[in-house]
C-alpha cells in the first residue's frame, strides 16, 4: 500500500478528511510578500487560519484548493487535542515515546512540536508553563503541506492508510515532565 502523500494539498486534505478532522484553508505565504494576513512580521506565514474560514468537505475541497493555491491546511482541534511544546523538549520526548508508544506529532517551524492526544485530555500533559494545549472548536493546528509544517510521526501507521490511535494526554505526562526537567537543567538524557 502506498503511503499518503502529504506534500500534495488535495491528497493531504482528503486524507485528513478521512480521519474525520475538521479541515479548512489557512493563509498563504507569498515569496517576497509574506503572509496573506498582511501582519508585518507574521510569526506563522501561510500556516495559520483565516478568520471565519469554511470547513471543507469532499465536495467543497477541490474548488477551495483551486481558488486559493498554496493556502495552508488547518485542522480544528475537535477530534484531538494538540499539546505544543518547545522544540528541544519535543525532540527529547519523541525519542522516549517512540520507544514505548508512538504519538502522532507535528513539527511546526523550527521551534514547536505538537503532540496529538485524545480530545479533552491535553490538559493532563500540561506539566510546565511552556506547554500550550489547543482544544475544542477554537483550537487549531496547521497541517502539512502548510509552509514550515511536517510530520514527525504521521496520523497513519507507517506505510499504510490505517489511522494511528490517539492516546490519553496522561500517557505522555511523565515523559514530558522528565524532558522539561532535563532540557532546562542542561543534563543529557
Amino acid at each position: 500500500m502506498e503511503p499518503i502523500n502529504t506534500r500534495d494539498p488535495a491528497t493531504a486534505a482528503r486524507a485528513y478528511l478521512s480521519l474525520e478532522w475538521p479541515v479548512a484553508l489557512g493563509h498563504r505565504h507569498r515569496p517576497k510578500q509574506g503572509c496573506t494576513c498582511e501582519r508585518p512580521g507574521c510569526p506563522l506565514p501561510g500556516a495559520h487560519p483565516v478568520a471565519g474560514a469554511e470547513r471543507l468537505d469532499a465536495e467543497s475541497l477541490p474548488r477551495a484548493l483551486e481558488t486559493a493555491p498554496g493556502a495552508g491546511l488547518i485542522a480544528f482541534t475537535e477530534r484531538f487535542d494538540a499539546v505544543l511544546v518547545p522544540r528541544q523538549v519535543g525532540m527529547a520526548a519523541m525519542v522516549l515515546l517512540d520507544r514505548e508508544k508512538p504519538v502522532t506529532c507535528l513539527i511546526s517551524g523550527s521551534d514547536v512540536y505538537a503532540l496529538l492526544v485524545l480530545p479533552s485530555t491535553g490538559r493532563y500533559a500540561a506539566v510546565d508553563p511552556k506547554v500550550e494545549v489547543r482544544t475544542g472548536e477554537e483550537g487549531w493546528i496547521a497541517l502539512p503541506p502548510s509552509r514550515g509544517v511536517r510530520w514527525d510521526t504521521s496520523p497513519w501507521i507507517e506505510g499504510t492508510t490505517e489511522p494511528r490511535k490517539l492516546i490519553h494526554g496522561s500517557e505522555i505526562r511523565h515523559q514530558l515532565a522528565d524532558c522539561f526537567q532535563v532540557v532546562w537543567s542542561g543534563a543529557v538524557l
Side-chain angles (χ1 to χ4, degrees):
M1 179 168 283
E2 282 290 311
I4 295 168
N5 177 4
T6 57
R7 291 184 180 161
D8 173 60
T11 302
R14 281 192 302 273
Y16 301 136
L17 289 173
S18 75
L19 294 171
E20 298 180 359
W21 290 0
V23 176
L25 293 185
H27 280 282
R28 291 177 288 151
H29 176 263
R30 300 163 301 179
K32 299 183 182 179
Q33 295 178 19
C35 188
T36 55
C37 73
E38 304 293 334
R39 284 183 22 212
C42 174
L44 299 167
H48 62 97
V50 171
E54 284 186 39
R55 293 172 188 223
L56 302 174
D57 58 29
E59 286 182 34
S60 62
L61 174 66
R63 178 77 178 130
L65 291 171
E66 184 180 300
T67 59
L73 290 178
I74 305 299
F76 296 97
T77 54
E78 296 170 19
R79 306 288 294 180
F80 54 83
D81 278 5
V83 178
L84 281 61
V85 297
R87 178 182 176 271
Q88 292 173 303
V89 172
M91 286 175 49
M94 290 309 293
V95 168
L96 294 176
L97 291 165
D98 281 346
R99 293 177 191 161
E100 299 171 22
K101 54 182 128 304
V103 176
T104 299
C105 177
L106 278 166
I107 301 171
S108 182
S110 61
D111 57 350
V112 175
Y113 273 55
L115 289 72
L116 306 187
V117 296
L118 287 168
S120 302
T121 68
R123 67 183 184 272
Y124 296 103
V127 296
D128 187 274
K130 289 181 175 57
V131 173
E132 177 186 351
V133 177
R134 294 184 183 171
T135 187
E137 291 180 10
E138 301 302 315
W140 60 272
I141 58 169
L143 300 168
S146 299
R147 183 175 184 268
V149 180
R150 64 183 173 87
W151 289 111
D152 177 272
T153 305
S154 77
W156 306 279
I157 295 172
E158 193 171 328
T160 74
T161 58
E162 183 179 337
R164 187 179 303 280
K165 291 188 189 303
L166 297 176
I167 64 172
H168 195 281
S170 64
E171 293 185 65
I172 63 172
R173 180 180 180 81
H174 296 297
Q175 293 87 343
L176 283 180
D178 290 348
C179 291
F180 268 104
Q181 183 176 8
V182 168
V183 168
W184 300 140
S185 72
V188 178
L189 281 176

